[in-house]
Amino acid sequence: MPTHLKLVSFTPNPKPRPTSNLKALIKYSRGVLTLFSENAEFNWQSSIWPSPSRDSRIRFTNLRNAKLHKSIRPTDDQLLHTAFIDVAKSYLRFRHTIDPHRNAGRELQALRALESALVNDMGIPDITKIHIRHFESMTVLVEDFAAPCHIVNSALQILSWLSDKLVVP
C-alpha cells in the first residue's frame, strides 16, 4: 500500500470539444497541482524539470534529441513541439501527483514517440486528433529501444488517461 496518497479531481466537461478539455486539463495541471512546487528551481516553462522519484532531471527533448548530453542546454528545435510540450508536462505532473513511481523516463520516451508520430503526419502535433495510424507509427519508432513493449504500454496508459479526460476519442 502506498504511503503517499493524494486526492486529485479533474472532471472534464462532456459537452465541449476535446480541445477545450485539453486546455482545461493543462490549466488545472499547471495552476492547481503542486508537485515540484516545493523545489525552488521548478518552473512550468522550463525545458528541464526535477524527476519525481530520483535524484535526476526530466528533459523535454524531442525523440531525435533524446540522447542530447545532459551538460548541453536544449535549443527550441531540440525540444518537444510547442503544441505538445504542455500535454507531456500535464501528464507527468498529474500522474506523479496521484501515484509517484520510477517510470518517468519510460513515460517520457512514450510521449516523445507519440509526439514524433504526430509531427511526422501533421506537422503540428494535435493530440486531440490522434488516430490508430499514429499509435502504429509510434510503435515502429520505438522498435529498437530497450524494452519497447514497456514504452508501448506506457503510451497506452497515456492515451487511456487522455481518453478518460475526454481529450482523445
Side-chain angles (χ1 to χ4, degrees), residues 12-163:
N13 188 339
K15 291 184 182 180
R17 298 182 354 196
T19 53
S20 299
N21 281 328
L22 177 60
K23 287 177 186 175
L25 180 60
I26 291 169
K27 182 178 178 184
Y28 180 83
S29 297
R30 184 178 182 172
V32 176
L33 299 181
T34 59
L35 183 67
F36 309 125
S37 295
E38 68 282 352
N39 187 324
E41 296 177 13
F42 174 73
N43 176 357
W44 178 273
Q45 296 300 330
S46 178
S47 62
I48 302 169
W49 279 11
S51 175
S53 62
R54 298 175 190 242
D55 194 22
S56 62
R57 298 182 181 264
I58 298 170
R59 292 166 37 115
F60 293 97
T61 54
N62 58 31
L63 190 63
R64 277 190 326 270
N65 296 286
K67 295 186 181 197
L68 189 67
H69 193 273
K70 65 181 180 179
S71 67
I72 299 173
R73 188 146 196 91
T75 59
D76 289 345
D77 64 319
Q78 294 170 323
L79 296 173
L80 291 171
H81 195 282
T82 55
F84 191 86
I85 197 165
D86 282 343
V87 174
K89 289 177 176 182
S90 293
Y91 174 78
L92 289 172
R93 195 170 199 191
F94 201 104
R95 177 79 166 93
H96 289 268
T97 295
I98 294 171
D99 182 22
H101 57 276
R102 295 186 159 280
N103 292 336
R106 186 177 303 137
E107 291 168 335
L108 195 54
Q109 287 177 314
L111 287 160
R112 286 176 177 138
L114 284 169
E115 183 254 5
S116 184
L118 290 166
V119 166
N120 291 343
D121 185 53
M122 300 177 182
I124 297 175
D126 183 351
I127 194 69
T128 65
K129 295 182 179 146
I130 197 163
H131 191 270
I132 190 69
R133 72 179 177 273
H134 301 116
F135 180 76
E136 290 169 348
S137 174
M138 190 273 317
T139 62
V140 171
L141 291 170
V142 300
E143 277 179 347
D144 295 330
F145 283 44
C149 59
H150 295 298
I151 297 169
V152 170
N153 187 47
S154 289
L156 286 171
Q157 290 173 349
I158 292 164
L159 294 173
S160 176
W161 178 78
L162 288 168
S163 179

